[in-house]
Amino acid sequence: MKKSGLSPARAAERSIQKKYVKTIWNPFVGAVKRYRLLAPGDRIAVCISGGKDSFLTAKLLQMLQRHSEQPFELIFLCMDPGYSPQNREAILQNAARLELPVSFFETNIFAVADKADRSPCYLCARMRRGHLYKEAQRRGCNKIALGHHFSDVVETTLMSMLYGAQIQTMPPKLRSRNFEGMELIRPLYCVHEDDILAWQRYNGLEFLRCACRVAEKNAVSDDGSKRQEMKLLLREMKKTHPTVEKCVFQSMHNVRLDTVISYTRKGAEYSFLDDY
């Protein structure tokens, strides 16, 4: 990145408004509008894990808050599940660099997941989500914002088909079943991971890739290895089909129920034979 004389936070914001306006800012704003992710009076806990995706989500929402005609509140929440001192310090430094007033709270999730006999990553993910909802609700929030992006959506969709034998995707927003009145939103839903990486490199930012102490001691998780398979599969397919990711993404918006053999809605199963 060329030296601009701006602070790191202002430089990062300017790059979003100028260089990455078409690839990051516009898709972000488009998702917020298309999926109605924000409403006047929302109090949103932006959940920062230390990675590039959650930090970009926080910065984008902070920028939108300054210019939005509808008022909403933000708090930047970081759950410490048992980070090493070095990783916690790295999160604090990045938060300061991007001028994000992060608030920490502690849990023992890594310690609990480390004792799990099977699927520690699945257990960790479930526990993290519950703790985030609980803490956000305690602080008067009605929504939590996570950093899942377009590429996560496409990879999850393929994983569910190829490994789960079902058609299931990652929705842009979701009501909590266990925390009444709470909702999860994904503002990066239409932003590609490659563009997030480009923004990070351009601004000379270094974020945590994986701060999990359990993963440091064990082999990659099943979910992690399968997700990597999806990345490699899509990369190979794009050589002959450049828009394959877009097609997978759009397919989840264009489900033709008349041609589906069976589906489940709100716990009830339906078959094409019901109306045959």
Side-chain angles (χ1 to χ4, degrees):
M1 183 185 74
K2 296 180 180 178
K3 292 184 178 180
S4 62
L6 301 173
S7 69
R10 296 287 87 75
E13 292 174 7
R14 185 174 182 180
S15 68
I16 291 170
Q17 295 169 325
K18 301 291 184 181
K19 185 175 179 64
Y20 299 104
V21 65
K22 291 183 179 180
T23 56
I24 292 180
W25 181 254
N26 289 350
F28 157 70
V29 173
V32 169
K33 293 180 178 179
R34 180 180 185 181
Y35 303 117
R36 302 174 187 173
L37 302 185
L38 299 179
D42 277 345
R43 181 171 168 83
I44 304 163
V46 187
C47 303
I48 295 177
S49 65
K52 65 186 190 312
D53 308 324
S54 60
F55 266 116
L56 178 58
T57 300
K59 178 49 66 177
L60 288 169
L61 285 170
Q62 186 186 57
M63 293 170 62
L64 182 63
Q65 185 186 40
R66 295 188 196 128
H67 305 292
S68 177
E69 294 181 358
Q70 57 182 20
F72 62 91
E73 297 179 62
L74 296 174
I75 66 170
F76 303 100
L77 196 60
C78 183
M79 180 187 66
D80 185 341
Y83 290 136
S84 67
Q86 296 88 342
N87 284 334
R88 178 159 174 150
E89 181 59 27
I91 294 173
L92 285 170
Q93 289 180 0
N94 279 323
R97 189 174 187 183
L98 292 173
E99 297 178 10
L100 297 168
V102 170
S103 177
F104 274 84
F105 72 99
E106 283 73 31
T107 69
N108 65 342
I109 289 178
F110 284 173
V112 174
D114 194 22
K115 296 177 182 177
D117 294 331
R118 299 177 59 186
S119 305
C121 294
Y122 174 77
L123 176 62
C124 179
R126 295 272 299 186
M127 291 177 67
R128 289 169 72 101
R129 186 76 57 83
H131 278 290
L132 287 169
Y133 270 130
K134 184 177 181 179
E135 184 66 17
Q137 190 174 58
R138 188 183 73 80
R139 296 182 184 225
C141 297
N142 65 309
K143 292 179 179 178
I144 64 172
L146 301 185
H148 297 123
H149 47 65
F150 175 95
S151 306
D152 288 325
V153 177
V154 172
E155 291 158 13
T156 298
T157 303
L158 286 180
M159 285 169 60
S160 74
M161 295 175 66
L162 301 180
Y163 287 104
Q166 60 184 343
I167 297 176
Q168 181 174 301
T169 194
M170 185 182 285
K173 61 182 180 181
L174 190 66
R175 289 193 179 96
S176 172
R177 295 178 181 178
N178 300 317
F179 295 87
E180 187 176 356
M182 293 296 295
E183 190 174 4
L184 178 157
I185 61 173
R186 297 181 167 108
L188 293 187
Y189 202 76
C190 296
V191 179
H192 290 247
E193 184 175 27
D194 286 346
D195 296 315
I196 299 173
L197 287 166
W199 171 79
Q200 175 186 333
R201 288 191 295 266
Y202 181 79
N203 288 284
L205 298 167
E206 293 292 337
F207 299 115
L208 298 183
R209 295 190 65 182
C210 180
C212 178
R213 287 185 164 182
V214 181
E216 288 174 355
K217 298 194 303 181
N218 301 290
V220 66
S221 69
D222 287 342
D223 180 78
S225 61
K226 289 181 175 61
R227 190 167 292 279
Q228 185 61 25
E229 281 186 44
M230 297 303 101
K231 289 182 184 292
L232 295 175
L233 174 62
L234 288 164
R235 189 180 303 165
E236 191 65 26
M237 292 183 70
K238 282 195 289 186
K239 293 178 181 178
T240 55
H241 185 7
T243 60
V244 63
E245 290 176 311
K246 182 178 180 180
C247 287
V248 174
F249 183 83
Q250 286 302 118
S251 72
M252 291 295 97
H253 294 71
N254 295 313
V255 177
R256 304 298 191 230
L257 286 181
D258 289 341
T259 68
V260 171
I261 306 303
S262 64
Y263 64 95
T264 302
R265 178 172 173 80
K266 295 183 178 179
E269 294 187 2
Y270 300 87
S271 168
F272 83 103
L273 292 172
D274 295 340
D275 301 312
Y276 189 77

